[in-house]
Amino acid sequence: MRRIALAAALACLPLAAAAQVTTLRIVSAFPENSFYVTRLQTWIQNVNEEGKGLLQLNFIGGPKAIPTFEVGNAVRTGVVDLAMSTGAFYTNVFPESDALKLTQMPVAEQRRNGAFEYIEKVWAEKGNMIYLARVVEYQPFHLYLNKPIEKPDLKGLKVRITPVYRDFFSSLGATVMQTAPGEVYTALERGVVDGYGWPIGGIFDLNWQERTKFRVDPGFYDAEVSLIMNKDAWDKLGGRQRDFLLVQTRLLENRNDYWKIYAQQETERQAKAGIQVIKFDSAMAKQYVAQAYETGWAGIIKVSPVHGPKMRQLFTRK
Ligand code: 173
């Protein structure tokens, strides 16, 4: 009798669990056909396999679903539950978001030195967001150009930017123009810009190599792409669902060493595509990178006099 009751109870378990499934809506601020998104979708598939009966992710799409610079507000207000984005795309929610480009240590170390905790606090307070995981690192930004330069002087050049590059490129004399990644190709094609900022990897995703003559070395900062979540959606999850989501996002973050290989591959691929490297000598290079950080932090601290200096202290390698 008892055995039968137990068997019956066990048989009911999947049903009981099924009643607990939550499906979260996730979007990407990067274009649908970018490598970042391909990688995200592979991860989502796996999460959905592992999360049967507990938690499912429904990929809504990229900027066609929600425009790049509106994704942050969509997460803040709960129009979507989760997003893969970068801070530069949601400075309209809170300006500190763009500071993540300035971290000088891997996210694993940020989780140990208090930086991650500080990010979590600011994101929750100012963005109504849970900062879940950084899924891109080891990707320095570069300036790509169609006109040659001999020194870090961009006077007379029009350069496509996001907030990432605004203060730095402006300080070098560039005329800057902000666009989402999806509009870079057209801007280059029409000659509206003479170049653009982008990390070392990814320019082939939208065929920009067809419209790119030079890459300027060295790179600067570290491209940040992260998973962020609406805080109310997080608060509604059960304990097991939260644990599962934390484990899954951490698994993706723990694979970030891959980006080191990707950076090498993309550098080679650019050379093969005929993109020439404009390389500053070491003194100039040092000054160029120093100016990138100086102007970057000045910009953050100007709009965030309280959090800015604290972030600078936590994000800068001693
Ligand atoms: O669009 C951009 O140039 C940008 O800001 C960015 C940020 C992180 C990764 C890739 C691009």
Side-chain angles (χ1 to χ4, degrees):
M1 222 10 229
R2 221 185 245 161
R3 207 172 275 167
I4 291 167
L6 184 64
L10 283 174
C12 288
L13 261 184
L15 261 184
Q20 305 293 320
V21 179
T22 304
T23 299
L24 301 172
R25 291 156 51 88
I26 178 166
V27 295
S28 163
F30 290 91
E32 288 79 2
N33 48 350
S34 68
F35 178 62
Y36 294 161
V37 175
T38 310
R39 199 161 181 270
L40 179 76
Q41 280 176 306
T42 307
W43 174 76
I44 290 174
Q45 270 176 14
N46 193 58
V47 169
N48 288 343
E49 280 294 315
E50 309 255 320
K52 282 200 181 108
L54 184 66
L55 194 76
Q56 296 288 290
L57 298 178
N58 178 13
F59 182 63
I60 305 296
K64 287 195 190 98
I66 299 191
T68 297
F69 295 105
E70 286 166 37
V71 166
N73 269 313
V75 173
R76 180 182 64 81
T77 58
V79 166
V80 296
D81 301 308
L82 280 153
M84 180 179 72
S85 187
T86 183
F89 296 164
Y90 56 95
T91 54
N92 53 350
V93 181
F94 56 103
E96 293 86 353
S97 61
D98 190 35
L100 299 181
K101 69 190 179 191
L102 298 167
T103 55
Q104 291 181 330
M105 70 288 292
V107 66
E109 198 176 324
Q110 292 166 38
R111 287 184 184 270
R112 293 191 295 263
N113 79 348
F116 199 94
E117 216 176 309
Y118 201 85
I119 296 166
E120 282 180 316
K121 184 176 94 107
V122 175
W123 264 236
E125 279 174 17
K126 301 196 79 172
N128 192 37
M129 290 174 190
I130 302 292
Y131 183 75
L132 283 171
R134 181 158 177 161
V135 298
V136 174
E137 48 183 338
Y138 310 118
Q139 295 285 297
F141 290 102
H142 286 264
L143 169 63
Y144 296 87
L145 286 174
N146 283 321
K147 290 178 182 165
I149 53 168
E150 265 151 36
K151 52 185 194 326
D153 179 1
L154 307 180
K155 268 186 225 80
L157 294 175
K158 285 171 288 176
V159 181
R160 172 271 173 186
I161 56 143
T162 66
V164 164
Y165 328 88
R166 179 182 292 277
D167 294 312
F168 180 39
F169 290 172
S170 298
S171 80
L172 296 171
T175 301
V176 296
M177 200 187 114
Q178 176 160 311
T179 83
E183 277 110 58
V184 173
Y185 188 93
T186 311
L188 290 165
E189 187 180 34
R190 297 195 183 147
V192 175
V193 294
D194 303 306
Y196 56 93
W198 193 260
I200 190 64
I203 70 158
F204 294 87
D205 294 3
L206 300 172
N207 286 319
W208 301 343
Q209 82 284 0
E210 290 175 1
R211 306 276 168 186
T212 306
K213 289 206 179 92
F214 306 101
R215 183 186 75 243
V216 176
D217 277 8
F220 53 92
Y221 308 154
D222 186 22
E224 166 271 333
V225 177
S226 300
L227 291 172
I228 50 175
M229 181 169 184
N230 172 266
K231 193 172 172 303
D232 308 297
W234 171 263
D235 290 341
K236 275 192 218 131
L237 294 180
R240 279 184 60 218
Q241 292 173 320
R242 285 184 199 169
D243 289 347
F244 174 75
L245 194 55
L246 287 179
V247 167
Q248 293 299 323
T249 51
R250 189 68 84 85
L251 283 174
L252 184 58
E253 183 181 284
N254 288 348
R255 293 205 296 267
N256 279 352
D257 268 359
Y258 168 74
W259 297 109
K260 295 179 188 172
I261 301 165
Y262 182 67
Q264 279 176 4
Q265 290 171 341
E266 289 284 286
T267 306
E268 285 162 26
R269 200 173 168 197
Q270 287 182 20
K272 285 204 186 93
I275 294 172
Q276 299 169 58
V277 178
I278 297 173
K279 198 170 186 314
F280 298 140
D281 68 40
S282 69
M284 234 183 234
K286 213 171 156 201
Q287 157 64 24
Y288 180 75
V289 173
Q291 190 166 327
Y293 281 98
E294 276 310 317
T295 54
W297 277 120
I300 297 290
I301 289 165
K302 191 171 163 203
V303 289
S304 187
V306 175
H307 296 305
K310 187 77 189 138
M311 287 175 135
R312 182 174 201 170
Q313 188 209 325
L314 288 166
F315 294 179
T316 303
R317 184 166 290 291
K318 309 271 161 350

